[in-house]
Amino acid sequence: MENQGYQHYRDQQGQNILEMNQNELLLALYDGLVKQLTRCDIALTHENYALLDDSADRAIAILRYLDDTLDMRYPISRELHRLYDYFSYEMNRIKIGRNKDELDKVRPMMIDLRDTFHAANKNCAEGRGGEVPPVGTQEAGG
């Protein structure tokens, strides 16, 4: 009986993903990235290195996917590529070095990037164009 409930939950989650538009999928990826960073923080605090390795690997996989899906015809894509490359490098350093200080340094940057995309999506949904605030500004949620 419990398996049936779990299967229903999995089916619902899969259906929700299939119904998302590109912006919603992008935001879900960023939210997933932040979730993995939170798990890394918890893992380092409790010295649970299996959780750290798993969470860091998942965060790196999300960053890799975000990088692989960039449309390089746009100048912002080159900048995002550089950011994703930097974040992936840092996540590997955090994983290998078990370094909470490094995580504390890059985690707010990734959260700011996520918040910037949330703000841009909200502006688009409200029909307001305009420029997206640069990463790391107060307007971007930082």
Side-chain angles (χ1 to χ4, degrees), residues 86-130:
Y86 169 73
F87 290 147
S88 294
Y89 174 78
E90 290 299 318
M91 287 307 301
N92 277 304
R93 288 185 62 212
I94 291 162
K95 178 183 167 185
I96 293 167
R98 315 265 191 244
N99 192 332
K100 190 168 180 343
D101 291 337
E102 286 301 311
L103 178 63
D104 291 342
K105 184 175 82 173
V106 297
R107 185 173 176 218
M109 290 185 251
M110 289 191 235
I111 290 171
D112 280 350
L113 185 61
R114 187 257 334 243
D115 292 347
T116 299
F117 274 95
H118 273 284
N121 187 57
K122 183 179 176 188
N123 285 342
C124 289
E126 293 174 355
R128 293 185 288 151

Side-chain angles (χ1 to χ4, degrees), residues 54-110:
D54 180 60
S55 301
D57 287 342
R58 289 176 186 223
I60 292 165
I62 292 169
L63 289 164
R64 187 175 307 123
Y65 181 81
L66 289 167
D67 189 46
D68 289 346
T69 58
L70 289 172
D71 185 344
M72 298 309 274
R73 292 180 294 170
Y74 301 101
I76 189 70
S77 294
R78 288 187 289 281
E79 298 302 318
L80 287 169
H81 169 72
R82 291 174 50 193
L83 271 176
Y84 296 150
D85 190 46
Y86 169 73
F87 290 147
S88 294
Y89 174 78
E90 290 299 318
M91 287 307 301
N92 277 304
R93 288 185 62 212
I94 291 162
K95 178 183 167 185
I96 293 167
R98 315 265 191 244
N99 192 332
K100 190 168 180 343
D101 291 337
E102 286 301 311
L103 178 63
D104 291 342
K105 184 175 82 173
V106 297
R107 185 173 176 218
M109 290 185 251
M110 289 191 235

Side-chain angles (χ1 to χ4, degrees), residues 30-50:
Y30 276 110
D31 289 340
L33 176 62
V34 171
K35 176 183 174 182
Q36 296 309 318
L37 297 173
T38 300
R39 288 177 49 152
C40 286
D41 188 44
I42 292 167
L44 285 167
T45 299
H46 296 287
E47 297 182 2
N48 182 343
Y49 300 124

Side-chain angles (χ1 to χ4, degrees), residues 2-21:
E2 288 179 27
N3 254 354
Q4 190 176 16
Y6 177 71
Q7 188 59 42
H8 177 71
Y9 168 78
R10 297 271 301 170
D11 292 344
Q12 284 298 108
Q13 290 302 102
Q15 188 62 32
N16 290 343
I17 289 172
L18 293 175
E19 294 172 359
M20 290 180 172
N21 65 35

